[in-house]
Each structure stands twice: as structure tokens, then as C-alpha cells.
């Protein structure tokens, strides 16, 4: 297929197909435009203003204990190592003042009650009025929070606690530092590194990678530093006694050409074992398809609960089945190139609000999945390996339909949002395009360009320009 033929087909996919289903924009964007930059021609995408936040929305200051109240004498310690080898990030804490109970609270959307994660102790066990204390605790939600890791950026964490009649929530790094006081235990250091967004790893990892120094702790850890292409970097951190976390060294540990497509909140991608470039790439792709199975299954349930038309519910169900086929296809490719099977970690969050579904769909579907569909189509025509071309052609055809479904879902949800919610959805969508613009500027390995057909950085930015025009960002 020539560049001109691809250009015509891409226009049909991104604009004609989407306008044919009655969509004027995803999440409130302008109608699609009628011109596009050719592959290789780039354009800058302006940085979107972040959603406005209310400075008064921080956690309510904890109430002072009543006169004569019995304060806790010792904070619950708990076991650091879970049965699965993972780490309880609350174990071994030494807060500035002892608490009866401490827990990770996680918020997945505006106006939703926080969900309790890892926890130690018994909530409100030292309160004179347990019911009043419990009601105050349930009202605590980390609106901004730290470790904001769930795309499209609405998943926030905080550390809640009760101390006698006091109910508190540390929902920022500064508040967490104040809660902990001087860092004088390994548990304090682990929690601070986790709150700053680093992966703690397993208990076995900590035994090797965490050590105490004269003025704090050092920890060797990692986190995903880019998701298109996926890049995992290793960090050596200095965690000082005042709670500050600084980077002593950083190096890229692994990189593949795979781009994160549709994910859903509560999905964590696992690092890919070291292997050759093509094996790691297709292993990444297979893991992403597994995450997409979960995302579409959740979409089906949520659309049904929100009263969506049966056609949308049925198409979400069909999309989940498509993704199951894609898993098998990508697993075979990964095996052919020496890769391994990697499963993402997923958590069920229940049915979310129309706003939360719209926010995720605008970013994961209308932006990332639409872009992924264009890249998949490009690969299906450009990969040097015939087996890769044939496999990705089948996947790309399905992904184009999934992208169109995302736009149809956005159109159905938009009238069900408030004006402020529509604005936030549009802002998140534009911010996702900005992030993709930076990620696409990374040049993929030559093996991925030739054998897997990935676009070069310049070509990827040209594809993104088409998508930006489709959602009203130029």
C-alpha cells in the first residue's frame, strides 16, 4: 500500500467512519477536520490546562482528642510480607503519634466514596463514639492525593487513620510527611517511596535493595517511565529522615515498542522479563490485550447498569471476545520471537458513575485506542515478516471497530454529564494527546521498525496529527 493509499484509508477510518456513526467529537471535541499531515510531517500539540481544583477540597483537619481521652500507645505493626510475596506498605510504620488504625484509601472518581486497601488495626477502636468516628472516616476521600497512577488520572491514594476520637487523612506528600514525622523505620521509608510512585517489588527484592544509611535509607526500585513505547527504568533512591525522596541514579531497564492501549482503572501492567527486542515487544502486546479483555468486560457491565442501548452493550461484549482472540494471536507471536506470557493484575471496582466511565473512555478509547488502531493498520501493511503482517491485519480490523465504539459510547454519555464534567473530560482527552505526542517522539528499535512494521518517530507523530485533528486539537 502506497503512502497515498494509506493516507486515504486513514482518513476514512478516523473521520468518515466516526462521523458515519453520528459522532461529532469524543468527549466534547470539535467536529473532525478534513485535512491531515502526511506520514513524517509533525505538528506540536498545545499543552492542555489541567482540570481546575478547589483548594478548599483538602482533607478536613483532624479533631483534637477530648480531655482525658485515652490515646493509643502503640501503632499496629502487621506483617510486611503477604502470602503472595508482595509487600504490605503499611507494615512497620512509626508515625509521629501512635494510631489505632491506618489504611490506604483509594479514590476512583469525583464524588465516590474511597475504597479501603491495605490496613492495620481496628478503625475507631479508641473512640468514645464509634459510630460518629466511623461516619467521619467514611467521609474521607483523597480528592487529589498522591500516587496518581490510574489513567486517565483520576485514581488517587491517601493514608487514613484513627487515633482515639481523631480521624485523619494524609492526602498529599506533605501531609504524609507530617503524619510520619522523622523517618526512623524501614516501614516509613517503604511507604514514602511507594507514595512517590515507585514500585516496591517483592519482599525478596526489599531484602536485596533496601538498606539503612546514616541519614536515612537507600532503595533500588523501578517504575514505568513511558507507556508508548513501554519503558521500565531502574532508580536508586535516597529517602531522607525528613521524608524527602531524591534520585541518586536512573537507568532504563527494559524498553519495547509496545504502546499501552485501552486499559481500565484497577489494572496494573507487570514488567516484562528481559529477552530480545521482538520477544519483549510481542509479550508486551499480549499483556495489553489481556488488559483490554478486562476493560471491555467492565464496559459491558457498566453500560448495562447505566441504561445504555442494547447495541452498545452487545458491541462491548463482542469487543471483549475480540480481545480474547487477540491474546491468542499475540501469544503465538511472542512465542515465535522468544517472549514469555505475562498476566496483568486487575481489581474489580464495581460499577462506576457515568462521569468516570466517560473520562476513561475519552482517554483510553477515543485517544489511545484510536491511535493504536492507526498504528496497527500501519504495521499490518509495513511489517517485513509476513506472519506478523497477517496476524496484525486481523487485530487491526477489530481495533478500528473498537475505536469507533469508543466514540459512540462518548456520544451517548455526553448528554448525561454536567457542563463541568464535560469540560473535565475534554481536558483529560487533550492531556492524553499531549502525553502521546511526547511518547511518540521516542525512536523505536530498528528491528521493530523493520520486522514488526512499527512507524518511526516521525511517522508516528504524523499518525498522531490525524488523530489530533479528529478530536479538535491541532
Amino acid at each position: 500500500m502506497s503512502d497515498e493509499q494509506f493516507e486515504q484509508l486513514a482518513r476514512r477510518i478516523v473521520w468518515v467512519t466516526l462521523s458515519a456513526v453520528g459522532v461529532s467529537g469524543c468527549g466534547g471535541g470539535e467536529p473532525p477536520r478534513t485535512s491531515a499531515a502526511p506520514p513524517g510531517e509533525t505538528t506540536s500539540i498545545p499543552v492542555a490546562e489541567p482540570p481546575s481544583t478547589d483548594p478548599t477540597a483538602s482533607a478536613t483537619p483532624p479533631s483534637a482528642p477530648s480531655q482525658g481521652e485515652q490515646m493509643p500507645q502503640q501503632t499496629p505493626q502487621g506483617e510486611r510480607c503477604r502470602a503472595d510475596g508482595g509487600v504490605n506498605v503499611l507494615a512497620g510504620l512509626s508515625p509521629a503519634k501512635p494510631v489505632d488504625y491506618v489504611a490506604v484509601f483509594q479514590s476512583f472518581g469525583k464524588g465516590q466514596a474511597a475504597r479501603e486497601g491495605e490496613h492495620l488495626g481496628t478503625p475507631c477502636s479508641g473512640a468514645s463514639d464509634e459510630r460518629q468516628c466511623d461516619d467521619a472516616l467514611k467521609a474521607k476521600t483523597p480528592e487529589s492525593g498522591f500516587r496518581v497512577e490510574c489513567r486517565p488520572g483520576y485514581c488517587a491514594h491517601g493514608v487514613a487513620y484513627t487515633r482515639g476520637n481523631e480521624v485523619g487523612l494524609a492526602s498529599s506528600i506533605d501531609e504524609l510527611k507530617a503524619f510520619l514525622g522523622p523517618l526512623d523505620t524501614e516501614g516509613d521509608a517503604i511507604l514514602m517511596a511507594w507514595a512517590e510512585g515507585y514500585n516496591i517489588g517483592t519482599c525478596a527484592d526489599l531484602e536485596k535493595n533496601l538498606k539503612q544509611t546514616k541519614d536515612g535509607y537507600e532503595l533500588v526500585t523501578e517504575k514505568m517511565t513511558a507507556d508508548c513505547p513501554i519503558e521500565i527504568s531502574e532508580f536508586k533512591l535516597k529517602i531522607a529522615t525528613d521524608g524527602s525522596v531524591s534520585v541518586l541514579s536512573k537507568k532504563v531497564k527494559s524498553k519495547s515498542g509496545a504502546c499501552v492501549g485501552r486499559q481500565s482503572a484497577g489494572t496494573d501492567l507487570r514488567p516484562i522479563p528481559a529477552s530480545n527486542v521482538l520477544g519483549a515487544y510481542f509479550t508486551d502486546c499480549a499483556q495489553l490485550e489481556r488488559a483490554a479483555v478486562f476493560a471491555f468486560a467492565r464496559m459491558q457491565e457498566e453500560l448495562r447498569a447505566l441504561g445504555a442501548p442494547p447495541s452498545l452493550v452487545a458491541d462491548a461484549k463482542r469487543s471483549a471476545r475480540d480481545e480474547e482472540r487477540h491474546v491468542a494471536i499475540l501469544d503465538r507471536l511472542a512465542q515465535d520471537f522468544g517472549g514469555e506470557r505475562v498476566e496483568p493484575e486487575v481489581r474489580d471496582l464495581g460499577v462506576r458513575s457515568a462521569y468516570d466511565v466517560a473520562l476513561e473512555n475519552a482517554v483510553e478509547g477515543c485517544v489511545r485506542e484510536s491511535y493504536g488502531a492507526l498504528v496497527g493498520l500501519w504495521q499490518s501493511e509495513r511489517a517485513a515478516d509476513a506472519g506478523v503482517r497477517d496476524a496484525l491485519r486481523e487485530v487491526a480490523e477489530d481495533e478500528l471497530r473498537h475505536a469507533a465504539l469508543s466514540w459512540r459510547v462518548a456520544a451517548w454519555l455526553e448528554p448525561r454529564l454536567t457542563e463541568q464534567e464535560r469540560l473535565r473530560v475534554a481536558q483529560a482527552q487533550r492531556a492524553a494527546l499531549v502525553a502521546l505526542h511526547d511518547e511518540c517522539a521516542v525512536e523505536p528499535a530498528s528491528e521493530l521498525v523493520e520486522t514488526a512494521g512499527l512507524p518511526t518517530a516521525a511517522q508516528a507523530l504524523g499518525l498522531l496529527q490525524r488523530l489530533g485533528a479528529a478530536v479538535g486539537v491541532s
Side-chain angles (χ1 to χ4, degrees):
M1 181 182 291
S2 67
D3 284 352
E4 182 179 358
Q5 289 172 319
F6 184 87
E7 171 78 17
Q8 293 172 351
L9 187 54
R11 289 185 184 182
R12 178 173 63 83
I13 292 161
V14 177
W15 299 312
V16 178
T17 300
L18 299 180
S19 61
V21 295
V23 180
S24 62
C26 194
E30 296 176 4
R33 302 185 180 183
T34 57
S35 62
E41 181 177 335
T42 65
T43 182
S44 60
I45 298 179
V47 178
E49 290 295 324
S52 59
T53 55
D54 181 357
T56 65
S58 58
T60 305
S63 57
S66 58
Q67 188 173 2
E69 176 186 339
Q70 293 297 312
M71 296 297 295
Q73 298 301 307
Q74 186 174 356
T75 295
Q77 294 299 295
E79 295 292 333
R80 176 178 296 169
C81 296
R82 302 196 307 255
D84 62 359
V87 176
N88 182 344
V89 298
L90 299 178
L93 292 186
S94 177
K97 293 191 292 184
V99 296
D100 301 308
Y101 159 86
V102 61
V104 172
F105 270 24
Q106 190 172 29
S107 170
F108 288 96
K110 174 185 174 184
Q112 288 197 23
R115 295 176 181 270
E116 180 190 63
E118 292 178 328
H119 57 277
L120 297 173
T122 304
C124 302
S125 59
S128 56
D129 187 333
E130 288 191 24
R131 176 173 294 183
Q132 183 180 27
C133 172
D134 187 61
D135 288 344
L137 183 62
K138 289 178 179 177
K140 297 293 184 184
T141 299
E143 294 279 342
S144 53
F146 44 75
R147 197 178 173 93
V148 181
E149 60 181 7
C150 305
R151 293 204 321 269
Y154 54 80
C155 161
H157 297 76
V159 170
Y161 58 91
T162 66
R163 179 188 293 127
N165 286 332
E166 182 181 344
V167 179
L169 176 69
S171 61
S172 71
I173 292 295
D174 286 342
E175 289 175 354
L176 185 60
K177 290 178 182 178
F179 167 71
L180 291 174
L183 268 65
D184 49 16
T185 68
E186 289 185 349
D188 293 348
I190 291 168
L191 180 59
M192 283 305 309
W194 175 85
E196 291 280 10
Y198 294 94
N199 298 327
I200 299 305
T202 66
C203 280
D205 293 331
L206 283 179
E207 288 182 9
K208 297 182 297 181
N209 298 330
L210 179 66
K211 68 177 183 179
Q212 188 170 9
T213 64
K214 62 180 181 180
D215 55 352
Y217 294 84
E218 288 184 0
L219 174 65
V220 177
T221 184
E222 63 182 35
K223 69 176 177 179
M224 187 164 69
T225 45
D227 60 8
C228 187
I230 293 176
E231 176 185 270
I232 305 295
S233 295
E234 181 180 275
F235 293 83
K236 185 176 183 180
L237 305 177
K238 172 66 177 181
I239 309 166
T241 54
D242 64 359
S244 61
V245 178
S246 56
V247 176
L248 299 178
S249 66
K250 171 191 172 183
K251 65 180 180 180
V252 175
K253 186 175 181 181
S254 65
K255 180 185 290 189
S256 85
C259 292
V260 174
R262 178 180 282 272
Q263 277 187 263
S264 189
T267 306
D268 295 325
L269 298 177
R270 298 186 185 277
I272 301 301
S275 66
N276 64 79
V277 172
L278 288 165
Y281 169 72
F282 287 115
T283 298
D284 266 340
C285 291
Q287 181 180 202
L288 297 173
E289 298 293 352
R290 288 184 167 88
V293 173
F294 174 74
F296 278 115
R298 170 180 282 170
M299 175 189 279
Q300 176 192 352
E301 295 175 1
E302 292 182 324
L303 288 176
R304 181 184 292 115
L306 292 169
S311 60
L312 288 182
V313 177
D315 284 348
K317 182 178 181 179
R318 177 185 178 183
S319 297
R321 291 198 301 266
D322 291 340
E323 301 293 4
E324 289 173 351
R325 282 192 294 101
H326 298 174
V327 169
I329 292 171
L330 271 301
D331 272 346
R332 286 197 298 270
L333 287 177
Q335 185 176 18
D336 290 345
F337 289 98
E340 301 180 30
R341 179 189 178 105
V342 176
E343 297 276 353
E345 181 179 353
V346 297
R347 302 183 299 279
D348 184 19
L349 306 177
V351 176
R352 296 169 296 170
S353 68
Y355 167 71
D356 293 323
V357 175
L359 188 63
E360 180 173 280
N361 181 69
V363 172
E364 298 298 318
C366 297
V367 173
R368 288 190 173 269
E369 194 163 37
S370 294
Y371 175 73
L374 286 175
V375 172
L377 177 67
W378 178 278
Q379 290 179 266
S380 72
E381 297 291 340
R382 304 302 175 94
D385 187 287
V388 172
R389 286 199 309 272
D390 293 342
L392 294 185
R393 184 173 296 113
E394 179 179 347
V395 172
E397 290 173 356
D398 291 336
E399 297 297 351
L400 298 173
R401 190 173 63 255
H402 299 173
L405 172 61
S406 299
W407 288 60
R408 290 165 55 209
V409 168
W412 181 77
L413 286 170
E414 187 171 1
R416 288 156 181 81
L417 307 179
T418 67
E419 182 178 353
Q420 182 64 22
E421 287 172 340
R422 284 194 291 271
L423 175 62
R424 288 176 178 270
V425 168
Q427 289 172 328
Q429 174 187 283
R430 286 174 170 80
L433 279 164
V434 172
L436 266 180
H437 185 272
D438 293 340
E439 294 160 8
C440 289
V442 178
E443 197 70 50
S446 58
E447 301 100 305
L448 297 177
V449 173
E450 181 177 352
T451 305
L454 276 178
T456 64
Q459 291 164 341
L461 289 167
L463 295 177
L464 186 61
Q465 161 65 8
R466 297 185 178 91
L467 183 60
V471 297
V473 177
S474 58

